[in-house]
């Protein structure tokens, strides 16, 4: 099942600090990132059983190579999304919604940056799941949620919807870095230099 890696900052932050109208605008803009997630999710889900088999059979090289390919593909999709937002953002928002939405290109660009990081963390999350490191996912979320809350509190009052998208990007950045750390530990376990029992 596709993992909800792209959840934006807690809606009540946006609603409380900016109001329901801006919350609706932010939700609409954030929904654009789902397109990339569908593409990435289709590939990573199909690769999940192979990752699990490589891990079970202790094929460290195959596990690492497949996961790296998924991460690179996810990164490319994310970069294309960011470039698309910069170049075609105004037109896209006008076509999808209405002309007034075209003023939110900066918010869309930051949202796509959050999406790009989210795509990569999605690929890494499949590797963590394949390795059955479930407690690691709890730790990752325990880092991501406070990062999102603190970022929202400081950025939204100063920069409005752009700040909300920036906070979303920071949260996804924290999640991606934490996921990379988890993958590093998994690979170390493959090589017999560290255990993962405490997080498995």
């Amino acid at each position: 099942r596709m993992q909800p890696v792209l959840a934006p900052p807690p809606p009540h932050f946006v609603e409380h600090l900016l109001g329901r109208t801006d919350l609706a605008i932010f939700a609409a803009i954030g929904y654009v990132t789902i397109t990339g997630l569908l593409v990435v999710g289709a590939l990573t889900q199909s690769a999940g059983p192979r990752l699990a088999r490589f891990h079970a059979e202790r094929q460290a090289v195959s596990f690492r190579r497949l996961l790296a390919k998924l991460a690179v593909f996810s990164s490319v999709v994310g970069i294309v999304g960011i470039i698309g937002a910069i170049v075609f953002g105004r037109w896209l928002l006008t076509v999808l919604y209405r002309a007034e939405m075209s003023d939110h290109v900066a918010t869309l660009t930051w949202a796509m940056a959050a999406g790009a990081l989210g795509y990569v963390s999605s690929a890494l999350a499949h590797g963590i799941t394949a390795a059955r490191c479930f407690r690691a996912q709890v730790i990752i979320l325990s880092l991501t949620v406070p990062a999102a809350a603190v970022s929202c509190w400081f950025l939204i009052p100063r920069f409005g919807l752009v700040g909300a998208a920036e906070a979303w990007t920071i949260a996804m950045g924290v999640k991606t870095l934490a996921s990379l750390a988890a993958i590093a530990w998994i690979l170390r376990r493959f090589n017999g230099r560290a255990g993962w029992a405490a997080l498995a």
Side-chain angles (χ1 to χ4, degrees):
R1 192 176 68 177
M2 190 177 299
Q3 303 183 27
V5 298
L6 289 183
H12 64 267
F13 273 98
V14 180
E15 181 177 1
H16 175 70
L17 297 172
L18 300 178
R20 291 187 177 182
T21 299
D22 281 348
L23 174 61
I25 293 173
F26 186 69
I29 291 173
Y31 193 77
V32 178
T33 64
I34 298 299
T35 303
L37 182 61
L38 292 175
V39 176
V40 171
L43 181 63
T44 54
Q45 287 185 80
S46 64
R50 292 174 61 195
L51 284 171
R53 177 167 57 84
F54 290 151
H55 180 267
E57 296 176 357
R58 303 194 65 79
Q59 299 182 39
V61 175
S62 297
F63 181 91
R64 184 176 66 249
R65 285 179 177 173
L66 178 55
L67 191 57
K69 289 179 181 178
L70 294 175
V72 170
F73 175 80
S74 301
S75 299
V76 171
V77 173
I79 292 171
V80 170
I82 294 171
I83 295 173
I86 294 172
V87 178
F88 303 108
R90 188 174 299 277
W91 172 83
L92 181 64
L93 290 174
T94 301
V95 170
L96 291 179
Y97 302 111
R98 59 180 187 270
E100 292 81 358
M101 289 287 287
S102 64
D103 294 331
H104 298 286
V105 175
T107 302
L108 175 63
T109 302
W110 276 104
M112 293 308 301
L117 291 167
Y119 304 154
V120 176
S121 69
S122 175
L124 297 176
H126 279 79
I128 296 170
T129 299
R132 302 183 64 80
C133 297
F134 303 118
R135 291 186 184 179
Q137 296 175 334
V138 175
I139 294 174
I140 290 169
L141 288 177
S142 71
L143 296 172
T144 304
V145 172
V150 172
S151 299
C152 285
W153 189 258
F154 281 99
L155 294 174
I156 293 178
R158 290 175 172 83
F159 305 108
L161 288 178
V162 174
E166 290 173 342
W168 189 8
T169 303
I170 291 172
M172 288 296 98
V174 170
K175 186 170 187 178
T176 301
L177 290 175
S179 298
L180 283 170
I183 292 297
W185 276 100
I186 291 170
L187 295 176
R188 287 186 64 190
R189 182 183 67 173
F190 267 127
N191 295 328
R193 293 198 298 269
W196 191 253
L199 296 178

